[in-house]
Amino acid sequence: MSIFVNDEEKLFFIETNDISYVMCVNRLGILETLYFGKKVGRDDLRYICRRGCRGYSASMPDSKDRSEDANQFRAECSTSHYGDYRVPTVMATFEDGSRVVDLRYEGYEINATRPDGGMPTVRDGETLKITLVDKKSLLKVNLYYTVYQDLASVVRSLEIVNEGDETVMLDRAFSFCIDLPNQEYKYLSLNGAHMNERQICVNDVIPGVYTVESSRGTSSPQHNPFIAILGKNATETEGEAFGFNLIYSGSFQISVELNECNLVRVAGGVNSFDFCWELKSGASFVTPECAICYSSNGIGAMSRTFHDLYRDHLINPNFAKKPRPIVINNWEGTYFDFTEEKLCAMIESVKGKGIDTFVLDDGWFGHRDNDYSSLGDWFVYEKKLPNGLKPIAQCCRRNGLKFGLWFEPEMVNRDSVLFETHPEWTIQSPGRPICKGREQYVLDITREDVREYIKKVMTDIIRENDVEYVKWDMNRSLTECWSQTLPSRRQKEFMHRYCLGYYDLLRYFEKEFPNLIIEGCASGGGRFDAGQLAYTPQVWTSDNSDAYHRTKIQYGTSICYPLSAMSCHVSVSPNHQTGRITSFKSRCQIAYFGATGYEFDPTKITEEEMQEIVKRNEEYRRDEEIILTGDLYRINSPFDTNFFTQMVVSKDKSKAIAVSMQVLADANGPFFTARLQGLDADATYKIVESGETFKGSTLMGVGINLPFCSHGDFATAIWHFEKID
Ligand code: DGJ
C-alpha cells in the first residue's frame, strides 16, 4: 500500500520505501505538488507554499487576495491564460477561439486502471488517479501516478477527456509537470549526434527555460527524452538526482524553467511544436508515460532505479532478463557486397564458436547494391541471392545458428516497385518535391493500409525463412508531416500518429511472433528510448563501434537505460567510423557490457582472434546474468577523466565484474586506483584474475590499482570478483 489520502484536508501522499510524493488541493481547487524527494513524515506540508503579493502579475478570478497568483502555485497540471506564465502542461482552443483552461479538483481513485492510448506502459504497480475539470468546457484531465513499493519512482501520465458538447483543439498535452523548490540545481541532459549519441551535458539551472526536444518524428540522436535535475554538488554517489524519462519514441519536449519565486518547473511530453489534436465531444487523448526516478544518494542510484523499473516492469519479460543471442552481423563485414557463398562462408567459420545468431543486414532485397534503391521491396534480390534466403537460413541451422534479418520497414526509395505502385503512401506535402534522407522517403504509417502492407510482407518473409531475430532499422528524420488520410484541420496530429503507427506495428509482431527478438535501430541509437525498449529489448546503441567512443556513448546511455538494452558489437581496427586503432582485447572488453555480438567478416580474422572469441563467448555466457540483471556502478567517467571504469554487481552481491579503459597513455604517468562500489562491505572477495582476496570494504574504500602504466592508448582490463565468505 503506497497511496494515502487525507480526504478532509485533500492531501495526497504517495510513499514507497524511500520516497514521498505529496500533493494538496489548494483553496481554489488547484492541485499542487508539496514535496517530492527522500521519504518524509506524513505531515501537512502546506506551510511550504509561501506566497506574497507580487507586482506585475495576475490573480485568479476567485482568489482571496493578490497572493493567490497561479504563477506562484506548484502546479501538477499547469495551464495558460489564467495567470501562470510558466511552461503549461495542457493547452486547448475552444470553438469560439478562447483558450482558458481552468482545471480544478474533482475527485480521485486508488487502484485505477490506466488507459494506454496505443502506447507502451509500465506493468503492475499501484495507481492513483486524480481528476481535474474545467467546469465551463467540461474538459477533464485524469492524472495517473503509478508506484512500486520497492522503487524510488513515480510513473506519470495524463488522459484528457472532452465531456463537453463542443469540439476542442488540444494545442498541448504534456505527460507531467512538477514544481520543485530550487536548491541551486543543475540539469543533466543527453545530447549528441548520429554516431555520437547520448553525450552527458551538465549545466546550471538559471532563470528562464531550457528545453530538450525532438521534432524529427523519432526521439533522435540529437536529444534524448531524458533530463535530470541534480543537487548542486551531486556526484555518482552523493546528492540528489531527479530523473525524468519519457516512455515515448516520437517527437518530444522536456523543459526546465526557473522562475522568480525560486521554483524549478520540469514538464514534458509530446512535442507541442506542430501539434494540435482534435478532441470531439466524448473523445479522449492519452499522453505517453513519463518515468520519474529519485535518488538522495547520487546519480548512480537514480540510474539503477531506472534500470530496475524498465527490466522489471517495461521490457517484454520474455526477453528482459533472459540470456540474449550472441550475434554476428555482416554489415561492417560486407556492407552491400555479398553473395550466398560469402555469407555461408561467414556462417560456417563461426560454427561451434559460441556465436548463436547470424544477422543478414541491409542489401538482400529488391535490387539493392547501394543505399539509392529498393527500400519497400521486401522480396529477395535474385541477382545477388539467386536461391533466395532459404540456403542462408539453412546454412545457419546446419551450423547451429539462428537466422536473423534486417528490415527498414518504415521507408521506401523512389527507385522501388513500391514507390511506383503506391507513390501516395509516401509522406509528402501536396504539390511539392519530397525531401530525401539517405536517398529515401518515409512511408505514411499513420495509414492502416500502409501498416497492413508492412505487416503482410514482413510476416511472409519471417515465416517462410524461420527468422528468429529481426533488426528493425530507421535511417532518417521525418519531413513534410502530412497525410492524405487526415482532413486539413487534423494534419498536426501527424507526428504523434506516426509514433502510434510505429507502436501498432511493433505490437503486431510481438503478438504474432512471441519468441521473435526485435533489435531496435535508427542509424544506430537514433530511437534509443524507453518506448522502444518496451518492444525491442535491445537497441543497436550507435553506428559508431569504436571502442573508445563507445565508452562515452555507453556511459551516457546507462544514465537511464540498462546494459541489457545496449547492443554492443566487436568490430575491426582501424575502426570504420573513426579510423582509430585499438587492440582486439580492448574492443572485446568494451563490447562485453551489454547484449554482445560481432560486426565483421569472421573469415578475415586471425586464428588467434578466433580462439579469443571462443573463450570470450564462454566467459560471456557465465557472466551474462550479472551483466543483464545486475546493478551498474559507474566509477570513472570518460567525460571528465582519462578513464572509463564501471562495474556490475549481482543482486545478491556475491559476484561482480569491473572494466576499465585508460584513454591516453602517459610516459612516466601518475598511478591511479579505482574505488569500487556496491559490494558487501563485510564480505571477502577473491579477484579471479589475480587470486588476491580483499574485504569488500577495502575494495570500496581503498580501491584497486588500475594497471595501465605503459599499456598504450585505449588499453583495457577486466576484473571478476567472487565472494568467498
Ligand atoms: C544503419 C544501421 O545502424 C547499420 O547498423 C546498418 O544496419 C545500416 N543502417 C544498413 O543500412
Side-chain angles (χ1 to χ4, degrees), residues 418-428 434 442-444 447 449-450 482-485:
L418 184 66
F419 186 78
E420 263 169 43
T421 328
H422 282 296
E424 79 286 4
W425 282 6
T426 297
I427 298 175
Q428 55 196 292
I434 313 172
V442 188
L443 288 172
D444 180 1
R447 294 172 62 136
D449 50 357
V450 174
W482 185 88
S483 175
Q484 237 183 27
T485 57

mmCIF file of all heavy atoms in Angstrom, residues 418-428 434 442-444 447 449-450 482-485:
data_model
loop_
_atom_site.group_PDB
_atom_site.id
_atom_site.type_symbol
_atom_site.label_atom_id
_atom_site.label_comp_id
_atom_site.label_asym_id
_atom_site.label_seq_id
_atom_site.Cartn_x
_atom_site.Cartn_y
_atom_site.Cartn_z
ATOM 1 N N LEU A 418 7.583 -0.495 -54.936
ATOM 2 C CA LEU A 418 6.564 0.017 -54.014
ATOM 3 C C LEU A 418 6.252 1.486 -54.303
ATOM 4 O O LEU A 418 5.085 1.887 -54.342
ATOM 5 C CB LEU A 418 7.025 -0.134 -52.556
ATOM 6 C CG LEU A 418 5.966 0.290 -51.533
ATOM 7 C CD1 LEU A 418 4.750 -0.631 -51.569
ATOM 8 C CD2 LEU A 418 6.528 0.345 -50.118
ATOM 9 N N PHE A 419 7.277 2.290 -54.552
ATOM 10 C CA PHE A 419 7.024 3.707 -54.814
ATOM 11 C C PHE A 419 6.275 3.883 -56.138
ATOM 12 O O PHE A 419 5.358 4.699 -56.247
ATOM 13 C CB PHE A 419 8.321 4.520 -54.818
ATOM 14 C CG PHE A 419 8.058 5.998 -54.953
ATOM 15 C CD1 PHE A 419 7.638 6.734 -53.860
ATOM 16 C CD2 PHE A 419 8.196 6.645 -56.177
ATOM 17 C CE1 PHE A 419 7.358 8.095 -53.972
ATOM 18 C CE2 PHE A 419 7.920 8.005 -56.302
ATOM 19 C CZ PHE A 419 7.499 8.729 -55.195
ATOM 20 N N GLU A 420 6.673 3.073 -57.133
ATOM 21 C CA GLU A 420 5.966 3.160 -58.421
ATOM 22 C C GLU A 420 4.499 2.818 -58.265
ATOM 23 O O GLU A 420 3.625 3.431 -58.843
ATOM 24 C CB GLU A 420 6.591 2.168 -59.409
ATOM 25 C CG GLU A 420 7.601 2.817 -60.333
ATOM 26 C CD GLU A 420 8.371 1.769 -61.096
ATOM 27 O OE1 GLU A 420 7.746 0.798 -61.567
ATOM 28 O OE2 GLU A 420 9.606 1.917 -61.167
ATOM 29 N N THR A 421 4.226 1.789 -57.459
ATOM 30 C CA THR A 421 2.839 1.339 -57.306
ATOM 31 C C THR A 421 2.048 2.260 -56.384
ATOM 32 O O THR A 421 0.870 2.506 -56.613
ATOM 33 C CB THR A 421 2.823 -0.083 -56.676
ATOM 34 O OG1 THR A 421 3.975 -0.788 -57.106
ATOM 35 C CG2 THR A 421 1.581 -0.854 -57.033
ATOM 36 N N HIS A 422 2.681 2.707 -55.334
ATOM 37 C CA HIS A 422 1.948 3.492 -54.329
ATOM 38 C C HIS A 422 2.693 4.768 -53.969
ATOM 39 O O HIS A 422 3.102 4.954 -52.816
ATOM 40 C CB HIS A 422 1.769 2.660 -53.051
ATOM 41 C CG HIS A 422 0.691 1.648 -53.145
ATOM 42 N ND1 HIS A 422 -0.640 1.973 -53.301
ATOM 43 C CD2 HIS A 422 0.763 0.297 -53.108
ATOM 44 C CE1 HIS A 422 -1.349 0.868 -53.363
ATOM 45 N NE2 HIS A 422 -0.534 -0.162 -53.256
ATOM 46 N N PRO A 423 2.843 5.693 -54.919
ATOM 47 C CA PRO A 423 3.538 6.937 -54.545
ATOM 48 C C PRO A 423 2.807 7.677 -53.430
ATOM 49 O O PRO A 423 3.415 8.393 -52.636
ATOM 50 C CB PRO A 423 3.537 7.748 -55.847
ATOM 51 C CG PRO A 423 2.509 7.121 -56.732
ATOM 52 C CD PRO A 423 2.365 5.694 -56.303
ATOM 53 N N GLU A 424 1.490 7.463 -53.346
ATOM 54 C CA GLU A 424 0.694 8.181 -52.326
ATOM 55 C C GLU A 424 0.958 7.665 -50.915
ATOM 56 O O GLU A 424 0.540 8.290 -49.949
ATOM 57 C CB GLU A 424 -0.806 8.091 -52.681
ATOM 58 C CG GLU A 424 -1.523 6.791 -52.342
ATOM 59 C CD GLU A 424 -1.190 5.602 -53.251
ATOM 60 O OE1 GLU A 424 -0.327 5.739 -54.144
ATOM 61 O OE2 GLU A 424 -1.777 4.524 -53.062
ATOM 62 N N TRP A 425 1.654 6.565 -50.780
ATOM 63 C CA TRP A 425 1.973 6.039 -49.441
ATOM 64 C C TRP A 425 3.171 6.772 -48.813
ATOM 65 O O TRP A 425 3.494 6.565 -47.646
ATOM 66 C CB TRP A 425 2.303 4.544 -49.526
ATOM 67 C CG TRP A 425 1.082 3.677 -49.656
ATOM 68 C CD1 TRP A 425 -0.207 4.085 -49.819
ATOM 69 C CD2 TRP A 425 1.044 2.238 -49.608
ATOM 70 N NE1 TRP A 425 -1.045 3.002 -49.892
ATOM 71 C CE2 TRP A 425 -0.300 1.850 -49.764
ATOM 72 C CE3 TRP A 425 2.015 1.248 -49.463
ATOM 73 C CZ2 TRP A 425 -0.700 0.517 -49.766
ATOM 74 C CZ3 TRP A 425 1.625 -0.083 -49.469
ATOM 75 C CH2 TRP A 425 0.274 -0.444 -49.620
ATOM 76 N N THR A 426 3.825 7.592 -49.619
ATOM 77 C CA THR A 426 4.997 8.315 -49.121
ATOM 78 C C THR A 426 4.568 9.613 -48.443
ATOM 79 O O THR A 426 3.689 10.317 -48.950
ATOM 80 C CB THR A 426 5.906 8.654 -50.317
ATOM 81 O OG1 THR A 426 6.333 7.433 -50.875
ATOM 82 C CG2 THR A 426 7.105 9.468 -49.905
ATOM 83 N N ILE A 427 5.180 9.929 -47.340
ATOM 84 C CA ILE A 427 4.888 11.204 -46.681
ATOM 85 C C ILE A 427 5.353 12.333 -47.599
ATOM 86 O O ILE A 427 6.503 12.333 -48.063
ATOM 87 C CB ILE A 427 5.621 11.305 -45.332
ATOM 88 C CG1 ILE A 427 5.148 10.204 -44.397
ATOM 89 C CG2 ILE A 427 5.403 12.671 -44.699
ATOM 90 C CD1 ILE A 427 5.906 10.142 -43.079
ATOM 91 N N GLN A 428 4.472 13.272 -47.863
ATOM 92 C CA GLN A 428 4.811 14.363 -48.776
ATOM 93 C C GLN A 428 3.844 15.520 -48.567
ATOM 94 O O GLN A 428 2.773 15.345 -48.014
ATOM 95 C CB GLN A 428 4.736 13.881 -50.222
ATOM 96 C CG GLN A 428 3.382 13.271 -50.596
ATOM 97 C CD GLN A 428 3.461 12.466 -51.872
ATOM 98 O OE1 GLN A 428 3.661 13.044 -52.924
ATOM 99 N NE2 GLN A 428 3.311 11.157 -51.775
ATOM 100 N N ILE A 434 9.703 16.026 -52.786
ATOM 101 C CA ILE A 434 9.841 15.388 -51.466
ATOM 102 C C ILE A 434 11.305 15.418 -51.015
ATOM 103 O O ILE A 434 12.205 15.103 -51.794
ATOM 104 C CB ILE A 434 9.362 13.914 -51.530
ATOM 105 C CG1 ILE A 434 8.010 13.802 -52.248
ATOM 106 C CG2 ILE A 434 9.277 13.305 -50.138
ATOM 107 C CD1 ILE A 434 7.563 12.377 -52.523
ATOM 108 N N VAL A 442 9.890 8.454 -46.478
ATOM 109 C CA VAL A 442 9.282 7.775 -45.328
ATOM 110 C C VAL A 442 7.856 7.375 -45.686
ATOM 111 O O VAL A 442 7.113 8.161 -46.278
ATOM 112 C CB VAL A 442 9.268 8.706 -44.089
ATOM 113 C CG1 VAL A 442 8.823 7.944 -42.854
ATOM 114 C CG2 VAL A 442 10.643 9.333 -43.866
ATOM 115 N N LEU A 443 7.493 6.169 -45.331
ATOM 116 C CA LEU A 443 6.118 5.717 -45.584
ATOM 117 C C LEU A 443 5.181 6.306 -44.536
ATOM 118 O O LEU A 443 5.559 6.476 -43.373
ATOM 119 C CB LEU A 443 6.047 4.187 -45.522
ATOM 120 C CG LEU A 443 6.690 3.433 -46.688
ATOM 121 C CD1 LEU A 443 6.715 1.936 -46.400
ATOM 122 C CD2 LEU A 443 5.955 3.707 -47.997
ATOM 123 N N ASP A 444 3.968 6.559 -44.962
ATOM 124 C CA ASP A 444 2.991 7.150 -44.056
ATOM 125 C C ASP A 444 2.345 6.048 -43.209
ATOM 126 O O ASP A 444 1.272 5.530 -43.545
ATOM 127 C CB ASP A 444 1.933 7.898 -44.882
ATOM 128 C CG ASP A 444 0.886 8.538 -44.005
ATOM 129 O OD1 ASP A 444 0.991 8.408 -42.763
ATOM 130 O OD2 ASP A 444 -0.044 9.160 -44.554
ATOM 131 N N ARG A 447 -1.252 5.509 -41.800
ATOM 132 C CA ARG A 447 -2.304 4.864 -42.608
ATOM 133 C C ARG A 447 -2.347 3.370 -42.305
ATOM 134 O O ARG A 447 -1.322 2.694 -42.329
ATOM 135 C CB ARG A 447 -2.008 5.032 -44.095
ATOM 136 C CG ARG A 447 -2.064 6.444 -44.575
ATOM 137 C CD ARG A 447 -1.570 6.509 -45.999
ATOM 138 N NE ARG A 447 -2.407 5.730 -46.908
ATOM 139 C CZ ARG A 447 -2.816 6.148 -48.106
ATOM 140 N NH1 ARG A 447 -2.457 7.333 -48.532
ATOM 141 N NH2 ARG A 447 -3.551 5.381 -48.869
ATOM 142 N N ASP A 449 -3.645 1.059 -44.258
ATOM 143 C CA ASP A 449 -3.304 0.216 -45.424
ATOM 144 C C ASP A 449 -1.786 0.057 -45.557
ATOM 145 O O ASP A 449 -1.289 -1.016 -45.911
ATOM 146 C CB ASP A 449 -3.932 0.763 -46.720
ATOM 147 C CG ASP A 449 -3.677 2.248 -46.949
ATOM 148 O OD1 ASP A 449 -3.061 2.903 -46.079
ATOM 149 O OD2 ASP A 449 -4.094 2.764 -48.009
ATOM 150 N N VAL A 450 -1.044 1.113 -45.215
ATOM 151 C CA VAL A 450 0.421 1.023 -45.293
ATOM 152 C C VAL A 450 0.921 0.040 -44.233
ATOM 153 O O VAL A 450 1.768 -0.818 -44.494
ATOM 154 C CB VAL A 450 1.057 2.423 -45.108
ATOM 155 C CG1 VAL A 450 2.569 2.331 -45.046
ATOM 156 C CG2 VAL A 450 0.627 3.353 -46.239
ATOM 157 N N TRP A 482 2.536 15.297 -43.253
ATOM 158 C CA TRP A 482 1.204 15.482 -43.838
ATOM 159 C C TRP A 482 0.724 14.123 -44.320
ATOM 160 O O TRP A 482 1.501 13.347 -44.872
ATOM 161 C CB TRP A 482 1.307 16.459 -45.023
ATOM 162 C CG TRP A 482 -0.014 16.824 -45.628
ATOM 163 C CD1 TRP A 482 -0.841 17.843 -45.236
ATOM 164 C CD2 TRP A 482 -0.669 16.184 -46.737
ATOM 165 N NE1 TRP A 482 -1.956 17.878 -46.028
ATOM 166 C CE2 TRP A 482 -1.882 16.867 -46.965
ATOM 167 C CE3 TRP A 482 -0.354 15.102 -47.554
ATOM 168 C CZ2 TRP A 482 -2.783 16.508 -47.965
ATOM 169 C CZ3 TRP A 482 -1.242 14.744 -48.557
ATOM 170 C CH2 TRP A 482 -2.445 15.442 -48.758
ATOM 171 N N SER A 483 -0.553 13.854 -44.099
ATOM 172 C CA SER A 483 -1.096 12.571 -44.551
ATOM 173 C C SER A 483 -2.330 12.800 -45.404
ATOM 174 O O SER A 483 -3.186 13.621 -45.059
ATOM 175 C CB SER A 483 -1.487 11.707 -43.351
ATOM 176 O OG SER A 483 -2.103 10.525 -43.798
ATOM 177 N N GLN A 484 -2.400 12.028 -46.485
ATOM 178 C CA GLN A 484 -3.561 12.111 -47.364
ATOM 179 C C GLN A 484 -4.856 11.747 -46.653
ATOM 180 O O GLN A 484 -5.934 12.142 -47.071
ATOM 181 C CB GLN A 484 -3.345 11.113 -48.496
ATOM 182 C CG GLN A 484 -3.403 11.746 -49.836
ATOM 183 C CD GLN A 484 -3.265 10.718 -50.934
ATOM 184 O OE1 GLN A 484 -3.603 9.549 -50.776
ATOM 185 N NE2 GLN A 484 -2.782 11.166 -52.063
ATOM 186 N N THR A 485 -4.730 10.974 -45.585
ATOM 187 C CA THR A 485 -5.944 10.440 -44.969
ATOM 188 C C THR A 485 -6.513 11.343 -43.875
ATOM 189 O O THR A 485 -7.554 11.044 -43.311
ATOM 190 C CB THR A 485 -5.659 9.057 -44.341
ATOM 191 O OG1 THR A 485 -4.598 9.221 -43.413
ATOM 192 C CG2 THR A 485 -5.285 8.035 -45.385
#
